[in-house]
């Protein structure tokens, strides 16, 4: 009930309800995304944070409907600008990809076709969605490259002639070529050094100022805290906490969030870093009750038996028995 | 581009020792075999002193090492010598009579093998783990292990003897040969707009090049399938999809990427192709280099055999160079 109320608000670009995506392997069913609900406002920048393997990419690919077998979206709704993406025909969904939702991938070294010039890849993308001639599309491609901080003449380059950071700029140019309302960046800077990372983040923030909504997926908590309006914490396929970035950092509710914050290195306070004990669970045979309880310092008896509800606390949502 | 030129130059230089080694082997093997061109030409009934005189004239009585170095010296100067039997025509002229036939057969066989291989391999990859994929795998294994003379004969039986719709021997219906320009019948008949010659040479080409094409396509089927599956799982394919590029276009991009190792195989296959062409030519009485070589080995026509081998080796080297250049043209990572 409370979930529904707190999420109900206008101006939503994206509304995800009860989304589950599973991978079907010989060992069993892996619930990579497990009944996730979230929403995203116009011009909002949200960060999705979680350890490796908690289902962040699966969530992103589910929104794009790019889940490949053995994976499958098994239930839920993805309402994007009012239409349920999961109900669209394949061709309708193709027109949404690139045109209305852009996506930037983790590894810029492998995300561009090595045999095609940068310009040709951008032109092809533009011409897939808009009826423009090649010359016009090429001019647009040069402007796009300039808007992400690359000289326009890079249209004539092949991917292998660019550095990782330059390629990631190209990936962003490709993702925004058709001015999508939503941009999903899945760990866009993991493969890049810190200075380049900052540049890429500046571009994302500029995209936001220009009116787009941004989903930044990262396992870097401090990066998300610094850049995003809201943070969404994922653990083992669940969203365990979600709320305003400032508040979430100042006063984390979920024990997992606290653990994440304490494990962030802090050069000013020179505080001792506490690494969280244990490992994320095997998602094929997750622990009963709360999936976090084996690692939780505050685990109670009920945590071992029953799945916690998502509870609203001070305008934030947390999936934990402590707040019941 | 500079490095490509250097590479080509190195490759071209490496051809020289290869050819010399090959030539040396052939030279001595021919002379170890019993018999010689004189005996096989004039037969056994000639008096020994006549045989001796003819051998003297042909220079076969000189010490072997002198013969060897003389021959090497001539070859390096581009002099292939003359045939040692009957007409004693220049070896080069004999080769030029026969080579276009082989070239024509090889080109058509080659194109067919690549087309069939890319087609079957792509189907297998796009429909991976389906029944279609399994059938393509069986196809590739069977095609790969077919014995050319046997398979050629099966095709001859079906299309020539039973259905009677295709000729089973020769290059063209005698009497309709096109005016000689390149001696490639297909090309010459197009150049002279001789459609009768064109259709006749094409239908004669059909069975031999199909035989060759199918047998050689098996390796491509496997390679294309495996490459394409690998490419289709790569990030940039997902990235294409995430930009709303149409499946058909993505398939073309994937195939272009999967084609790169195929080009390497094309270079390697070419040598096999020539060996296959020898078998195909004998099966279909095709008047090319293969039948020429076998005939001249029987007559111990030293100069013709040696000349043909050198010519073959140079040709294979040239083709693999061309393949490398194609490679560089498709893959920018090699080019820059
Ligand atoms: N193709 C697949 N087949 C089977 N299991 C998969 C597949 N892709 C992902 N998974 C599993 O789904 C779970 C979530 O994976 P996902 O890639 O979404 O995690 P992530 O949070 O993006 O991790 P990372 O930070 O490492 O990118 C993992 O346990 C992973 O092993
Ligand atoms: Mg990921």
């Amino acid at each position: 009930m409370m979930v529904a109320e707190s999420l109900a608000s206008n101006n939503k670009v994206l509304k995800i309800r009860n989304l589950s995506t599973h991978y079907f392997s010989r060992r069993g069913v892996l619930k990579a995304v497990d009944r996730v609900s979230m929403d995203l406002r116009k011009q909002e920048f949200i960060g999705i944070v979680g350890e490796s393997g908690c289902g962040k990419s699966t969530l992103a690919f589910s929104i794009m409907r790019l889940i490949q077998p053995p994976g499958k979206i098994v239930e839920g709704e993805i309402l994007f600008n009012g239409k349920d993406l999961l109900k669209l025909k394949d061709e309708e969904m193709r027109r949404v990809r690139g045109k209305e939702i852009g996506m930037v991938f983790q590894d810029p070294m492998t995300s561009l076709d090595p045999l095609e010039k940068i310009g040709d890849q951008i032109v092809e993308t533009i011409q897939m969605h808009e009826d423009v001639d090649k010359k016009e599309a090429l001019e647009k491609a040069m402007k796009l490259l300039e808007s992400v901080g690359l000289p326009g003449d890079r249209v004539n380059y092949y991917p292998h002639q660019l550095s990782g950071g330059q390629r990631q700029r190209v990936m962003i140019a490709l993702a925004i070529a058709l001015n999508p309302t939503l941009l999903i960046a899945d760990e866009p800077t993991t493969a890049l050094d810190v200075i380049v990372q900052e540049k890429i983040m500046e571009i994302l923030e500029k995209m936001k100022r220009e009116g787009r909504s941004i989903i930044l997926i990262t396992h870097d908590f401090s990066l998300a805290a610094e850049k995003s309006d809201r943070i969404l914490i994922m653990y083992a396929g669940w969203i365990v906490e979600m709320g305003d970035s400032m508040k979430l950092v100042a006063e984390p509710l979920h024990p997992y969030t606290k653990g994440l914050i304490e494990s962030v290195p802090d050069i000013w306070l020179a505080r001792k870093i506490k690494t969280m004990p244990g490992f994320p669970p095997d998602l094929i045979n997750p622990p009963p009750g709360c999936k976090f309880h084996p690692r939780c310092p505050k685990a109670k008896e009920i945590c071992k038996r029953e799945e916690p509800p998502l509870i609203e606390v001070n305008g934030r949502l947390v999936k934990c028995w402590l707040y019941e | 581009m500079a490095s490509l030129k250097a590479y080509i130059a190195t490759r071209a230089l490496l051809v020289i020792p290869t050819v010399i080694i090959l030539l040396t082997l052939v030279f001595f093997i021919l002379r170890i075999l019993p018999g010689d061109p004189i005996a096989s030409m004039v037969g056994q009934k000639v008096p020994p002193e006549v045989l001796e005189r003819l051998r003297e004239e042909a220079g076969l009585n000189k010490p072997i090492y002198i013969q060897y170095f003389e021959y090497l010296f001539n070859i390096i100067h581009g002099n292939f010598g003359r045939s040692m039997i009957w007409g004693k025509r220049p070896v080069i002229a004999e080769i030029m009579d026969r080579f276009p036939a082989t070239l024509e057969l090889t080109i058509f066989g080659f194109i067919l093998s690549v087309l069939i291989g890319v087609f079957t391999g792509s189907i297998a990859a796009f429909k991976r783990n389906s029944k279609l994929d399994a059938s393509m795998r069986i196809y590739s294994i069977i095609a790969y292990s077919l014995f050319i003379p046997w398979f050629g004969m099966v095709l001859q039986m079906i299309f020539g003897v039973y259905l009677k719709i295709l000729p089973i021997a020769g290059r063209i219906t005698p009497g309709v040969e096109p005016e000689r320009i390149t001696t490639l019948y297909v090309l010459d008949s197009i150049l002279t707009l001789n459609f009768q010659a064109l259709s006749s040479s094409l239908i004669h080409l059909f069975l031999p090049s199909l035989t060759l094409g199918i047998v050689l396509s098996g390796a491509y089927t496997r390679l294309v399938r495996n490459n394409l599956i690998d490419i289709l799982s790569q990030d940039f394919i997902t990235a294409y999809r995430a930009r709303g590029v149409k499946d058909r276009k993505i398939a073309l991009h994937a195939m272009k990427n999967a084609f790169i190792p195929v080009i390497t195989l094309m270079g390697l296959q070419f040598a096999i192709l020539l060996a296959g062409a020898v078998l195909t030519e004998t099966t279909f009485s095709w008047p090319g280099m293969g039948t020429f070589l076998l005939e001249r080995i029987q007559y111990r026509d030293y100069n013709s055999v040696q000349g043909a081998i050198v010519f073959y080796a140079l040709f294979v080297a040239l083709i693999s160079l061309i393949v490398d250049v194609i490679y560089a043209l498709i893959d920018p990572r090699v080019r820059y």
Side-chain angles (χ1 to χ4, degrees), chain B residues 83-104:
Chain B
S83 162
M84 303 171 92
I85 56 173
W86 300 305
K88 307 236 159 106
R89 298 179 62 210
V91 169
I92 276 292
E94 302 241 42
I95 290 176
M96 282 309 149
D97 272 357
R98 299 297 202 102
F99 181 66
T102 296
L103 188 61
E104 211 160 49

Side-chain angles (χ1 to χ4, degrees), chain B residues 169-190:
Chain B
R171 263 183 96 186
I172 197 162
T173 314
V176 306
E177 291 89 348
E179 199 183 315
R180 185 166 169 162
I181 304 170
T182 60
T183 330
L184 293 168
Y185 285 172
V186 174
L187 191 58
D188 286 355
S189 32
I190 292 173

